[in-house]
């Protein structure tokens, strides 16, 4: 029995094209999996350290931004008030977190590039590889970058001083 319409040849060509597409997808999946493992190892190894401008505070964080070390210079408590030292420590920690997040974003960026052939295109209902990789976390801004109104002074009952001439 012969196939006068060439239907068999068409089906064989489609089958070969589909196999090639699946082989390409599997190769990309293996590459992406290896890349994700390497990325995960690099992410776990990230640490960042920041030192205050005056050298009084040194803070280190891990890849999640968790504080791993906070050090004060020997004379840090002599040169400032507790409130100022607390603000300085907070700013220094946030600088370390920002460095950690920036490095994290740089490490994760290549892994967030999507595959040329996505499984969701071939099989409806299957999640996209791009959807499985979370977006990078935002880089925190130190308090000095976020403009905050000055705290009222203790001698001000209504938060305004009669000596403050900034509104004149």
């Amino acid at each position: 029995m012969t196939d006068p319409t060439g239907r068999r040849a068409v089906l064989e060509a489609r089958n070969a094209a589909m196999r090639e597409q699946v082989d390409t997808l599997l190769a990309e999946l293996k590459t992406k999996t290896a890349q994700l493992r390497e990325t995960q190892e690099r992410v776990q190894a990230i640490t960042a350290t920041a030192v205050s401008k005056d050298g009084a505070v040194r803070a280190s964080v891990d890849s999640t931004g968790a504080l791993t070390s906070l050090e004060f210079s020997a004379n840090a408590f002599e040169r400032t008030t507790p409130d100022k030292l607390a603000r300085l420590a907070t700013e220094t920690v946030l600088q370390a977190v920002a460095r950690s997040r920036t490095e994290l974003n740089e490490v994760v960026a290549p892994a967030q590039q999507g595959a040329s052939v996505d499984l969701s295109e071939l099989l409806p209902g299957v999640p996209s590889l791009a959807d499985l990789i979370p977006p990078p976390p935002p880089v925190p801004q130190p308090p000095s970058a976020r403009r905050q109104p000055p705290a009222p002074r203790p001698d001000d009952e209504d938060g305004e001083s009669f000596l403050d001439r900034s509104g004149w």
Side-chain angles (χ1 to χ4, degrees), residues 53-139:
K53 289 180 184 177
D54 64 0
V57 180
R58 178 184 183 91
S60 297
V61 298
D62 64 14
S63 62
T64 66
L67 186 64
T68 58
S69 171
L70 183 62
E71 302 169 17
F72 298 98
S73 66
N75 60 352
F77 298 99
E78 298 167 5
R79 299 187 302 190
T80 187
T81 66
D83 286 342
K84 287 181 183 177
L85 187 58
R87 279 194 301 274
L88 185 61
T90 301
E91 287 179 10
T92 306
V93 169
L94 286 176
Q95 288 172 7
V97 170
R99 289 179 183 161
S100 173
R101 293 275 169 84
T102 300
E103 186 176 348
L104 175 71
N105 292 345
E106 291 169 1
V107 168
V108 172
Q112 291 175 322
Q113 303 302 318
S116 62
V117 178
D118 203 345
L119 196 56
S120 63
E121 295 172 8
L122 299 175
L123 303 170
V126 174
S128 169
L129 288 176
D131 295 339
L132 299 176
I133 301 171
V139 176

